[in-house]
């Protein structure tokens, strides 16, 4: 698990750099040919990790229902992200992974509702979910790399 968390921390630092290096207007821009924007991808990454690891383990998530509803699978940006929402997402990027690592170290993840991802990968426990999460974050980071070329 140590390597999984190191990879995830590196991924989240990249996401944090997007938040630091682009204006709110740029983060909200949906370039032609894309369905979403930089800030939606970051919010989505945070929400999916929480759902895969905490929700399927039957544990409370660290994100609000409003953020979950806005960034879960099947959503897309419907409105501009406000400064307040930007700040909330920014605070969650690193905090959620730090807390997840602490919770793993404290053996909090005892139960898990087996889940098959859209790619057909079966997640049987929270460890599997964190491993899959690295793949999921990489996909969305790649999308973000494409988006940034157009803003």
């Amino acid at each position: 698990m140590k390597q999984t968390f190191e990879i995830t921390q590196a991924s989240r630092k990249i996401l944090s750099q997007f938040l630091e290096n682009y204006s709110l207007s740029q983060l909200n821009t949906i370039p032609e040919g894309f369905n979403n924007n930089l800030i939606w991808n970051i919010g989505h990454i945070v929400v999916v990790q929480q759902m895969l690891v905490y929700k399927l383990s039957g544990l409370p998530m660290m994100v609000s229902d409003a953020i979950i509803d806005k960034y879960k699978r099947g959503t897309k940006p419907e409105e501009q992200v406000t400064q307040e929402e930007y700040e909330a997402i920014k605070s969650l990027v690193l905090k959620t992974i730090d807390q997840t690592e602490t919770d793993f170290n404290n053996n909090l993840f005892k139960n898990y509702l087996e889940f098959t991802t859209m790619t057909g990968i079966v997640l049987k426990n929270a460890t599997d979910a964190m491993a899959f999460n690295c793949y999921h974050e990489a996909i969305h980071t790649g999308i973000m790399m494409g988006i940034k070329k157009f803003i």
Side-chain angles (χ1 to χ4, degrees):
M1 279 307 292
K2 183 178 183 211
Q3 182 71 8
T4 299
F5 279 106
E6 286 176 6
I7 292 166
T8 306
Q9 287 286 1
S11 170
R12 295 300 177 98
K13 285 179 183 159
I14 292 168
L15 299 180
S16 292
Q17 289 172 354
F18 275 96
L19 293 170
E20 294 295 327
N21 295 328
Y22 290 91
S23 69
L24 188 55
S25 176
Q26 289 172 312
L27 291 168
N28 274 301
T29 298
I30 303 173
E32 188 174 329
F34 288 87
N35 296 327
N36 50 50
N37 54 33
L38 295 174
I39 193 81
W40 181 89
N41 278 280
I42 295 168
H44 176 72
I45 285 169
V46 169
V47 164
V48 167
Q49 183 271 334
Q50 289 289 291
M51 294 180 81
L52 288 174
V53 178
Y54 285 86
K55 184 175 183 181
L56 292 172
S57 293
L59 297 171
M61 294 182 285
M62 292 175 261
V63 294
S64 69
D65 289 342
I67 289 179
I68 291 166
D69 289 343
K70 193 168 181 179
Y71 296 98
K72 67 185 177 185
R73 186 178 86 192
T75 64
K76 62 182 182 179
E78 300 290 342
E79 57 194 24
Q80 298 284 298
V81 169
T82 64
Q83 185 67 35
E84 181 180 348
E85 188 175 343
Y86 161 86
E87 296 295 339
I89 291 168
K90 183 178 176 184
S91 76
L92 291 167
V93 168
L94 296 175
K95 181 171 68 172
T96 51
I97 294 305
D98 290 341
Q99 186 62 52
T100 302
E101 186 170 17
T102 297
D103 291 344
F104 263 91
N105 291 337
N106 290 329
N107 296 313
L108 224 63
F109 301 99
K110 307 261 186 230
N111 302 310
Y112 196 81
L113 180 62
E114 190 173 291
F115 178 74
T116 303
T117 68
M118 288 177 56
T119 55
I121 298 169
V122 178
L123 308 178
K124 296 183 182 221
N125 53 50
T127 300
D128 291 351
M130 278 304 299
F132 176 79
N133 185 67
C134 290
Y135 166 75
H136 180 258
E137 290 197 17
I139 288 172
H140 285 279
T141 301
I143 292 167
M144 292 170 64
M145 298 294 186
I147 290 172
K148 80 176 191 173
K149 292 177 182 177
F150 298 97
I151 58 171

